[in-house]
Amino acid sequence: MTTFEGGPTIAIRARYDELVSDRWPVVVRPQPGELLSSWVHRLAFANGIAPRPFGRVLGFSAGMWSPSLDMNFQTDAVNILSAHTGISLPKLFTMSLKGSPLKRLLLPLRDDGRRRSSAWLQLCPQCLAEDPQPYFRRQWRLSTRISCPHHRCGLRDRCPSCRSRIAAFNQVELVPQHFCVTCGYDLRQASKVSVSPSVRSLDQCIHDICRLEAITGAVPSNSLIRRLLAIPDICSQYPAASLVSLSTSARIRCFVRLAMRPNDWLIEDDNAVVALWRRSILSADGHASLIGLLANALERKGLRHLPTKRPQPTTELSGLLTAYLSLMENPRPRPARTEPSI
């Protein structure tokens, strides 16, 4: 115990290590369907560090780190995050895009210093406006996702004020990620992008088909991904272009054309059961409520532990489709649709 003249008495506890924690001062909880890099950005801001400099804490160089973190799930970086936040590695893994069967459909994020280079990070302004803590969703990284099912509007990938790409990972100032890095515009204030019901319905059906076939392990064995990537050519909007190379507005134009034509291009498959499954989803404008619950349960089961090798199909596709078709013959009332994940 030490006493300073005219000052307080300071006592050093013998078991000081019990009071000291390796945890960072502020820990933010991941939100439903949140992208890993989005959570890291919020974590950095909450602890008083801008997103870009925070990358150095995780061992990244001065280059852009968000895509690397989301896609590769580097061991050193996630171990640091888990140790200093108490968030488990399996939980962090579910927030990443590592090992996603839909990897080829993910929009690219690039930062080559050119203003017009692609960085298709999408958002729904109304989702951000309603979030207590605005965050980016994993499903916004999908090229096949062009609308928000909750707010019934189109997504955005550009700041409406300066037309810059959405590049939250490039923020060098202590500013929340829902502000434009270039001009500081609050992206929550962006106007609503109008998208017709038929286009939103097609968007949701494709999302449901991809989600459930990914869960069952069917995606690698069929031509679904290849056809989706060829949508610009199929609809004769941007011949020879790949879906992932287009901006959100360009992809919306593709979906507008697709919604006006038959869906044979999507339904056809070598597997007759899969073809019938897709036709049923399209005719019902998306999966029924019980199938949604089943998809959520299968995702939780499949992502319970970190995989050490390519995961096997969670369930037999034919059995799942048979159950689905049986449900479609006796549909039940649908509850309010919750926000789906990848």
Side-chain angles (χ1 to χ4, degrees):
M1 181 177 296
T2 303
T3 303
F4 292 95
E5 185 176 352
T9 299
I10 300 176
I12 300 177
R13 297 177 62 96
R15 302 187 67 182
Y16 178 70
D17 58 333
E18 291 186 355
L19 301 180
V20 177
S21 173
D22 288 334
R23 300 284 175 85
W24 285 326
V26 182
V27 175
V28 296
R29 307 305 301 179
Q31 297 300 303
E34 184 168 13
L35 189 64
L36 178 60
S37 58
S38 169
W39 172 74
V40 173
H41 295 156
R42 294 195 299 112
L43 177 67
F45 178 78
N47 283 278
I49 306 176
R52 184 113 179 193
F54 188 69
R56 292 194 292 271
V57 176
L58 304 179
F60 291 108
S61 64
M64 188 180 76
W65 54 270
S66 290
S68 181
L69 182 63
D70 288 327
M71 297 299 300
N72 298 331
F73 199 70
Q74 293 95 324
T75 301
D76 291 343
V78 294
N79 281 340
I80 292 173
L81 288 168
S82 180
H84 290 285
T85 64
I87 306 298
S88 69
L89 288 175
K91 175 61 179 177
L92 295 179
F93 183 81
T94 64
M95 297 163 63
S96 76
L97 299 169
K98 175 72 172 179
S100 171
L102 306 178
K103 180 179 179 179
R104 292 175 60 196
L105 295 176
L106 296 174
L107 294 165
L109 297 181
R110 301 189 183 98
D111 182 18
D112 56 14
R114 294 180 298 179
R115 177 180 175 81
R116 300 183 64 83
S117 61
S118 63
W120 313 127
L121 181 57
Q122 303 181 114
L123 61 89
C124 169
Q126 294 196 3
C127 281
L128 296 181
E130 292 180 2
D131 291 339
Q133 300 178 33
Y135 67 97
F136 288 86
R137 279 69 167 164
R138 293 172 67 244
Q139 63 173 299
W140 290 349
R141 285 292 313 276
L142 284 170
S143 59
T144 49
R145 207 47 158 155
I146 51 95
S147 66
C148 174
H150 180 60
H151 294 106
R152 302 179 180 181
C153 63
L155 299 180
R156 287 182 174 273
D157 63 9
R158 287 291 183 268
C159 170
S161 176
C162 68
R163 303 305 301 166
S164 296
R165 61 186 185 267
I166 306 302
F169 42 78
N170 269 341
Q171 184 59 261
V172 295
E173 303 293 338
L174 190 59
V175 178
Q177 61 183 339
H178 55 274
F179 287 90
C180 175
V181 172
T182 303
C183 71
Y185 180 82
D186 187 342
L187 298 170
R188 297 174 298 179
Q189 304 301 318
S191 60
K192 191 172 184 178
V193 176
S194 178
V195 178
S196 70
S198 61
V199 171
R200 296 199 310 269
S201 174
L202 177 61
D203 178 9
Q204 185 61 45
C205 288
I206 290 177
H207 186 72
D208 292 340
I209 290 171
C210 288
R211 185 187 181 197
L212 291 172
E213 291 190 21
I215 292 172
T216 60
V219 167
S221 63
N222 61 43
S223 60
L224 176 64
I225 301 296
R226 177 171 51 81
R227 291 185 199 175
L228 294 175
L229 290 173
I231 281 177
D233 193 38
I234 291 173
C235 69
S236 302
Q237 182 71 31
Y238 302 97
S242 173
L243 190 66
V244 297
S245 68
L246 302 179
S247 66
T248 305
S249 58
R251 285 181 283 111
I252 289 177
R253 287 192 287 272
C254 290
F255 273 65
V256 170
R257 287 202 174 191
L258 283 178
M260 296 187 294
R261 57 170 291 171
N263 291 315
D264 293 345
W265 66 275
L266 179 60
I267 295 173
E268 293 176 356
D269 194 271
D270 295 336
N271 188 318
V273 177
V274 171
L276 182 58
W277 154 264
R278 294 177 187 171
R279 188 183 301 276
S280 298
I281 288 181
L282 288 163
S283 65
D285 290 336
H287 59 245
S289 59
L290 290 180
I291 292 299
L293 294 174
L294 175 60
N296 288 331
L298 290 175
E299 284 183 336
R300 287 194 297 270
K301 180 180 178 181
L303 295 172
R304 189 169 298 163
H305 303 288
L306 285 171
T308 56
K309 60 181 179 179
R310 180 180 293 276
Q312 297 299 314
T314 307
T315 187
E316 288 293 332
L317 179 61
S318 59
L320 176 60
L321 303 192
T322 300
Y324 174 80
L325 295 175
S326 175
L327 288 169
M328 291 303 300
E329 293 175 357
N330 301 283
R332 301 188 181 188
R334 299 185 191 179
R337 179 178 282 159
T338 57
E339 182 176 286
S341 61
I342 293 181

